[in-house]
Amino acid sequence: DGTGDYLSLLDSDDWYLSTGDGTIAFWARFTSLTDATFVAQHYGANNTFYFDYIVSTHKIRFYYRYSASTVADYDYTWTPTIDTWHYIELVRSGSNLYLFIDGDKKTWTTITTPISTNDLGNLPALLTIGYNADPTIGTYFAGYMDEFCWSKGIARHTANFNVPTQAYLTGGVDT
């Protein structure tokens, strides 16, 4: 509901995508339009990443900073429909970063720092879902999230797709 609820997971090499493929995917239902963090890691001002929504600019943003260098900075202008489930997916495939909303591939509005072959450094910090622990940001997600999936080494989609209609499989491969 955006008033202090979030999930935090201990630091793990599973969150370290390095230069490889990876996918972050989830269902999100906004209950109000406020700044909202989907997922983040924060280890000081020079080591942080966040995938979030900024209401003042109506943009989804992916930002990654490691060892005092910005290695990826993207945004896409979008306004979610309140009380509607949206399927959001962020995919790194090689040197490309893709954003999908409800199965449709979006063209980034602004790419300030392309991901290219940059290493998404291993941040020694909690992974937070629904909250950004950066004290200069500190935003929660106002709404509901479901079926969060972090796939290391897998670029699930690079073109439009039909959104999932059933829960993710555990220990298996979904199609």
Side-chain angles (χ1 to χ4, degrees), residues 130-145:
Y131 176 65
N132 189 335
D134 181 336
T136 65
I137 298 174
T139 56
Y140 291 91
F141 178 75
Y144 302 92
M145 295 178 75

Side-chain angles (χ1 to χ4, degrees), residues 1-7 30 32-42 48-56 59 61 127-143 145:
D1 60 11
T3 59
D5 302 329
Y6 67 97
L7 177 66
F30 290 76
S32 65
L33 283 184
T34 61
D35 289 351
T37 297
F38 304 128
V39 60
Q41 264 187 313
H42 177 72
T48 189
F49 100 84
Y50 40 88
F51 183 32
D52 59 8
Y53 179 76
I54 305 301
V55 72
S56 63
K59 291 184 179 180
R61 175 179 57 179
L127 181 78
T128 55
I129 300 169
Y131 176 65
N132 189 335
D134 181 336
T136 65
I137 298 174
T139 56
Y140 291 91
F141 178 75
M145 295 178 75

Side-chain angles (χ1 to χ4, degrees), residues 6-137:
Y6 67 97
L7 177 66
S8 64
L9 303 167
L10 293 176
D11 179 37
S12 169
D13 283 343
D14 292 337
W15 317 141
Y16 176 40
L17 298 178
S18 182
T19 59
D21 294 346
T23 302
I24 300 169
F26 52 90
W27 286 95
R29 184 177 139 208
F30 290 76
T31 55
S32 65
L33 283 184
T34 61
D35 289 351
T37 297
F38 304 128
V39 60
Q41 264 187 313
H42 177 72
Y43 188 72
N46 291 317
N47 295 287
T48 189
F49 100 84
Y50 40 88
F51 183 32
D52 59 8
Y53 179 76
I54 305 301
V55 72
S56 63
T57 58
H58 302 284
K59 291 184 179 180
I60 285 182
R61 175 179 57 179
F62 177 74
Y63 178 83
Y64 209 107
R65 184 170 179 81
Y66 182 67
S67 293
S69 295
T70 301
V71 294
D73 189 358
Y74 291 72
D75 65 47
Y76 173 72
T77 302
W78 175 66
T79 301
T81 305
I82 300 298
D83 293 324
T84 299
W85 284 100
H86 294 285
Y87 188 75
I88 300 172
E89 185 173 283
L90 182 72
V91 178
R92 182 183 190 168
S93 177
S95 61
N96 297 304
L97 189 67
Y98 300 101
L99 173 68
F100 297 90
I101 300 174
D102 298 326
D104 295 326
K105 184 166 78 171
K106 303 302 180 183
T107 301
W108 293 104
T109 306
T110 307
I111 303 172
T112 305
T113 305
I115 201 165
S116 184
T117 58
N118 293 338
D119 183 354
L120 299 180
N122 192 0
L123 303 180
L126 294 173
L127 181 78
T128 55
I129 300 169
Y131 176 65
N132 189 335
D134 181 336
T136 65
I137 298 174

